[in-house]
Amino acid sequence: MPYEPPTHTVERSLRATTGAKIIAGVDEVGRGAWAGPVTVCAAVTGLRRPPEGLTDSKLITPKRRTALAAELEKWVTAYALGHASPEEIDELGMTAALRLAAVRALDGLPVRPDAVILDGKHDYLGTPWKVRTVIKGDQSCIAVAAASVIAKVRRDAMMAELETEAAECSAFGFGANAGYPSPVHKAALEERGPTPYHRLSWAYLDALPRWQHLKKIRISAEAAALESGGQLGFDF
């Protein structure tokens, strides 16, 4: 199925309406995983024409995605990655963890952006950042699409490395599932229980009676208020 290529339309609009000159596209990966960090990429692209075939990372084959990420890392004006660990996700909740990872990515850029294009409906960044949210921005906005591809490839590589280098992760299939739900992942959890790289506040533990005693209850009142406030209406 063909997809319309992303454009600089939103970036041009921000430049015209806000006077912003440096605009970062921001996207995340790993939000729905059982294990591993949530990873955010912030990418600044300017108004140049992107490499051929750029779109949402989920619409690109793994082989092409890896090659495209290598092109993009050289093509973008700047990019930076930010991560929030499983422990931080358990303590803060996903809304606050996403913000933490995004701020780390934005702070990692060589120049602070004047504005941010954030993929999705909800602004989990907030003040002091000037944010424009765009539903399916990873398909329609060049900077966000670039961030999407780089974030996906980098996090997948991190999870594959865990499978090969961390003995306790060898049976979980992280190289194939990147920490997301899968039959191999579930079977390994049932037999071995979660590793130090798993999110222990996640609902998957409710279906594992042998390991339910390891489940963590979030203790941050501020994080609980953010979640219950509906900033991100995800049900895990």
Side-chain angles (χ1 to χ4, degrees), residues 11-72:
E11 190 168 349
R12 292 182 189 278
S13 172
L14 278 170
R15 285 172 177 250
T17 58
T18 71
K21 294 181 179 179
I22 301 172
I23 299 172
V26 170
D27 199 15
E28 57 75 27
V29 64
R31 180 161 45 189
W34 288 346
V38 62
T39 296
V40 173
C41 181
V44 179
T45 66
L47 299 177
R48 294 172 297 139
R49 183 175 180 178
E52 189 70 26
L54 177 62
T55 187
D56 173 10
S57 64
K58 297 184 291 296
L59 304 178
I60 308 172
T61 65
K63 182 178 180 180
R64 173 56 185 149
R65 189 165 58 219
T66 299
L68 182 58
E71 291 182 60
L72 288 168

Side-chain angles (χ1 to χ4, degrees), residues 97-164:
L98 275 169
R99 186 179 194 279
L100 181 62
V103 169
R104 285 170 174 167
L106 289 164
D107 284 347
L109 292 171
V111 180
R112 183 181 176 91
D114 301 314
V116 174
I117 304 172
L118 189 63
D119 180 52
K121 180 180 179 181
H122 301 279
D123 175 10
Y124 55 77
L125 261 175
T127 55
W129 303 93
K130 295 179 180 178
V131 177
R132 173 80 60 86
T133 58
V134 179
I135 296 173
K136 294 187 177 180
D138 48 10
Q139 291 184 37
S140 61
C141 301
I142 287 173
V144 179
S148 166
V149 172
I150 294 171
K152 172 66 174 168
V153 170
R154 287 294 195 92
R155 185 182 182 279
D156 282 359
M158 290 171 57
M159 297 305 294
E161 186 175 322
L162 277 180
E163 181 178 357
T164 59

